[in-house]
Amino acid sequence: MNMFLYLLGLVVFYYLYRWFREIPRVPDKGDKYVYITGCDSGFGNLLARHLDELGFCVIASCFTEKGEEDLRKACSDRFTTLHLDVKKNESVDKAAALIKDKVGARGLWAVVNNAGVAIPSAPCDWLTIDDYKSMLDVNLNGVIAVTLSVLPLIKKARGRVVNVASVFGRISPVGGPYTVSKYGVEAFNDSLRRNMAPFGVKVLCIEPGFFKTTVTDSVVLGKSIKQLWEKMPQQVRDDYGPDYLDKVDVMMREKLAKMSDTDLMKVVSCMEHAISAVRPRTRYSPGWDAKLFWIPMSYMPTRFADWLLLKEAILPAKAVN
């Protein structure tokens, strides 16, 4: 009993110490520029607005003109928007040149690599290499390209790189390129963090669980899966059976909605802390599902994790018993 109380006291002390240590924020926010990708909606949009309210000089990149226009209307005169297509090197380089002119000698305080897509996502044998390339170009190559384009400016400011990965960068419960891309972001984040440490640059990773965004929209995902099903070879469709698609659709509508947290500020608060805290964390895992299920499962024996995930999976018609 005494040992239990002693351990409990240590845990409480650790969390109080960490909370107190993480309170201080960086000064002079009005002199610090933050470049955010993927600001049309979701986390990026909320973060851009939130940082603007806190007094940072935000440079928000959007894929659409409407995204830029909506943000300009809602934010202060400090706020800057620009068009960015992370798949195109010329777009990335053009944005970096504009940012260099904007920030001048002070450099860029932070870049937040938030832009990402979730489709096409499906079992691996439904997909082609082009399906993989299309997502990797955004979720992984886009993160690397944007980071490298402004890294000299980050080094000048001794600033931060904030990479938005996912709990699915720790464990792969689904097929397709999404988890592959997020594992890649985790690897890039780790190598960059160690490379940049001697320059005083902090590299942080955000690993959200399920949140209600376009990435987890069951209608968008369902439409994409249906399109993939229709263009698959008949042999692959026979392997899965004629009712497989309907089962997947029901599962996504019923389970995905329940699993997805609607409070996007849980993620945005972690992003803001990574940017503004004097002593940010190396990793953030917003969402109770991330903390209590996905991250712990990533440390479990592979055989046990496989059994648990396959136990709840929709099996193909020709699955071997």
Side-chain angles (χ1 to χ4, degrees), residues 40 116 200 299:
D40 295 88
Y299 291 105

Side-chain angles (χ1 to χ4, degrees), residues 13-14 21 49 59 75 91 113 136 138 164 170 187 189 197 209 242 252 257 267 296 313:
F13 174 78
Y14 166 75
R21 187 174 180 273
R49 295 168 186 257
I59 304 171
C75 297
S91 180
N113 286 303
L136 292 173
V138 177
V164 181
R170 299 283 201 101
N189 186 86
M252 285 197 302
V267 179

Side-chain angles (χ1 to χ4, degrees), residues 38-111:
C39 293
D40 295 88
S41 62
F43 302 135
N45 187 281
L46 282 176
L47 177 65
R49 295 168 186 257
H50 184 58
L51 292 182
D52 181 62
E53 290 174 358
L54 293 177
F56 284 95
C57 298
V58 177
I59 304 171
S61 70
C62 298
F63 186 67
T64 65
E65 289 184 11
K66 184 178 185 305
E68 289 188 66
E69 184 180 340
D70 289 347
L71 281 172
R72 281 196 297 266
K73 287 179 181 176
C75 297
S76 70
D77 294 337
R78 293 186 312 277
F79 200 89
T80 304
T81 64
L82 51 83
H83 171 75
L84 179 66
D85 182 348
V86 298
K87 302 189 301 295
K88 296 180 179 177
N89 289 338
E90 58 270 24
S91 180
V92 172
D93 292 341
K94 183 179 178 181
L98 291 170
I99 291 167
K100 184 178 180 180
D101 290 340
K102 186 84 174 174
V103 303
R106 76 192 74 187
L108 180 65
W109 175 250
V111 60

